[in-house]
C-alpha cells in the first residue's frame, strides 16, 4: 500500500477509552493543524463503532468549531440519541485540551431496496493507460513534502 494511503488508514484506527469514548491522533502531514476532513472521518468512525453491525451512514451534519492541535490527542465522545429497528442516531463531540473543536450528528440505517439513479459510465481508457498527475505537473510545480494518499490520473489533463 502507498505510504500516504497507509498513514490515512492508520489515522482512522481509534483507541477505545471507555464505552462510547475513543481517542485519535492528528495527521502530521497537514501543515501544523488538524485537517477538518480528518476530524469528520474520525467522528464517523467513532459513531460507526456504536451503530451496530450492518448499518450504513445515512446522513451527517457537522460543525467545525475550533482549530485542532496536531500535538494533542482528540477525544471523541459518542452519545446514542436513538436506536430503532432500522435507523439509529448518534451525536459525536470531539474535544481537545478541555475544549470542543468539532461536533456531528449522524444517522445510520440498515440497507433497504429502492429506486437507484446513476448515469452510465463513459467509455474511457483505464487508469493504467493514463499519465499520473505528478508526471505532467512536475515541471511546473515543486514536489510536495507530504505523502498524499491518492494518485490522480485525468482522462483529459490540463494543458500546462
Amino acid at each position: 500500500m502507498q505510504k500516504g494511503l497507509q498513514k490515512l488508514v492508520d489515522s482512522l484506527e481509534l483507541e477505545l477509552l471507555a464505552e462510547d469514548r475513543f481517542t485519535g491522533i492528528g495527521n502530521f502531514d497537514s501543515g501544523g493543524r488538524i485537517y477538518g476532513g480528518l476530524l469528520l472521518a474520525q467522528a464517523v468512525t467513532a459513531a460507526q463503532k456504536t451503530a451496530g453491525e450492518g448499518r450504513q451512514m445515512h446522513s451527517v451534519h457537522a460543525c467545525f468549531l475550533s482549530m485542532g492541535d496536531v500535538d494533542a490527542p482528540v477525544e471523541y465522545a459518542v452519545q446514542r440519541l436513538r436506536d430503532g429497528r432500522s435507523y439509529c442516531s448518534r451525536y459525536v463531540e470531539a474535544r481537545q485540551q478541555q475544549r470542543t473543536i468539532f461536533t456531528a450528528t449522524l444517522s445510520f440505517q440498515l440497507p433497504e431496496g429502492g429506486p437507484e439513479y446513476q448515469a452510465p459510465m463513459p467509455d474511457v481508457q483505464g487508469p493504467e493507460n493514463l499519465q499520473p498527475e505528478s508526471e505532467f505537473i512536475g515541471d511546473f510545480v515543486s514536489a510536495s513534502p507530504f505523502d498524499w494518499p491518492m494518485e490522480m490520473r485525468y482522462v483529459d489533463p490540463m494543458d500546462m
Side-chain angles (χ1 to χ4, degrees):
M1 182 180 295
Q2 179 198 14
K3 185 178 167 185
L5 181 56
Q6 186 62 55
K7 283 177 159 179
L8 177 63
V9 170
D10 291 346
S11 72
L12 297 177
E13 292 295 323
L14 302 179
E15 180 184 341
L16 179 65
L17 298 175
E19 184 178 18
D20 298 344
R21 291 174 47 123
F22 305 88
T23 188
I25 57 169
N27 184 341
F28 295 97
D29 285 355
S30 60
R33 65 177 95 174
I34 296 178
Y35 175 60
L38 180 63
L39 289 173
L40 177 60
Q42 288 180 341
V44 168
T45 300
Q48 180 72 59
K49 289 178 180 291
T50 71
E53 190 70 31
R55 293 182 191 249
Q56 300 169 347
M57 191 167 66
H58 172 259
S59 67
V60 63
H61 177 262
C63 293
F64 300 90
L65 303 173
S66 182
M67 187 169 81
D69 178 1
V70 294
D71 295 324
V74 181
E75 188 174 313
Y76 296 90
V78 179
Q79 182 181 355
R80 298 172 188 242
L81 301 177
R82 180 177 188 278
D83 282 316
R85 283 182 300 202
S86 40
Y87 287 87
C88 70
S89 298
R90 301 290 184 260
Y91 175 77
V92 180
E93 182 178 29
R95 295 182 58 82
Q96 226 182 19
Q97 300 165 335
Q98 281 70 51
R99 74 183 209 288
T100 302
I101 62 171
F102 173 87
T103 62
T105 305
L106 305 98
S107 174
F108 296 87
Q109 76 172 93
L110 291 172
E112 56 186 51
E116 294 184 20
Y117 304 95
Q118 182 172 324
M121 178 70 178
D123 186 23
V124 296
Q125 301 180 57
E128 63 280 349
N129 297 320
L130 300 173
Q131 183 181 27
E133 177 189 50
S134 58
E135 288 180 15
F136 73 82
I137 67 167
D139 294 336
F140 304 97
V141 179
S142 61
S144 170
F146 305 119
D147 294 312
W148 299 114
M150 65 185 87
E151 179 181 273
M152 302 294 285
R153 293 179 182 234
Y154 296 98
V155 174
D156 295 315
M158 178 176 25
D159 182 3
M160 300 300 275

